Amino acid sequence: MENPESTQFVDQFAKVRQRTLRVARCIPPDKIEWTFKPGRFTLGDLLRHLAGTERYMWAENARFQPSRYPDHDRALADGHDAIFAYVDRLHHESTEIFAAVTDADLHKKTTTPDGASITLWKWLRLMIEHEIHHRGQIYIYLAMLEVPTPPLYGLTEEQVREHSR
């Protein structure tokens, strides 16, 4: 049976993740645990957090199960290559779960970690918003480190301005 709404969601999220990974792959290996201030997320923490929430919070909630978020601790994946392997593995697992969601499931209620009841499609929309929020942090951290990053949609702001004349 075809699941057009759920298939559209999986496709949209895959594109969001590709854009996140495009900037995340700019992180120099020696800066993976860099942060601007003690006690704040490191770049590695941000990636572990995105992977962990996607798989163990949103994907579990998409199966109508409670959150099992494991935190963003370095013990989950330590080092540049290990972090990207963790992100890829958990994204693959999540994608399999999301692909099994039916259109009917999208309109059922799921329970968030704080006990709120929400329609699944609305909850999954918030997952995308969450990802974009943390992608923005990665862009900012890399700017602070003066690491060049790719434009989000192919053009820089300057190029958009030039093409708009």
Side-chain angles (χ1 to χ4, degrees), residues 121-154:
W121 72 264
K122 292 178 182 177
W123 186 232
L124 293 177
R125 182 177 61 190
L126 293 172
M127 178 184 71
I128 292 173
E129 193 173 315
H130 175 258
E131 172 112 0
I132 292 166
H133 160 73
H134 287 302
R135 181 198 309 145
Q137 288 180 292
I138 294 169
Y139 267 106
I140 294 292
Y141 278 30
L142 291 175
M144 293 169 78
L145 291 168
E146 298 182 2
V147 173
T149 56
L152 186 58
Y153 297 112

Side-chain angles (χ1 to χ4, degrees), residues 76-93:
L76 296 166
D78 193 12
H80 191 270
D81 293 343
I83 290 168
F84 281 97
Y86 178 73
V87 168
D88 291 343
R89 179 175 58 83
L90 294 191
H91 182 64
H92 178 75
E93 291 175 16

Side-chain angles (χ1 to χ4, degrees), residues 19-99:
R19 287 189 289 273
T20 299
L21 287 177
R22 193 166 47 240
V23 68
R25 296 218 183 268
C26 295
I27 301 169
D30 67 330
K31 298 296 184 190
I32 196 73
E33 295 302 340
W34 180 86
T35 185
F36 69 96
K37 181 179 177 182
R40 304 303 291 202
F41 274 135
T42 67
L43 286 159
D45 290 340
L46 288 168
L47 293 172
R48 287 185 291 266
H49 174 71
L50 282 171
T53 55
E54 175 195 3
R55 172 60 189 87
Y56 295 112
M57 187 175 75
W58 274 289
E60 288 303 307
N61 292 163
R63 297 194 306 183
F64 305 99
Q65 298 296 312
S67 173
R68 300 183 302 131
Y69 176 62
D71 200 10
H72 58 271
D73 191 89
R74 285 176 80 164
L76 296 166
D78 193 12
H80 191 270
D81 293 343
I83 290 168
F84 281 97
Y86 178 73
V87 168
D88 291 343
R89 179 175 58 83
L90 294 191
H91 182 64
H92 178 75
E93 291 175 16
S94 299
T95 299
E96 287 183 350
I97 292 167
F98 296 140

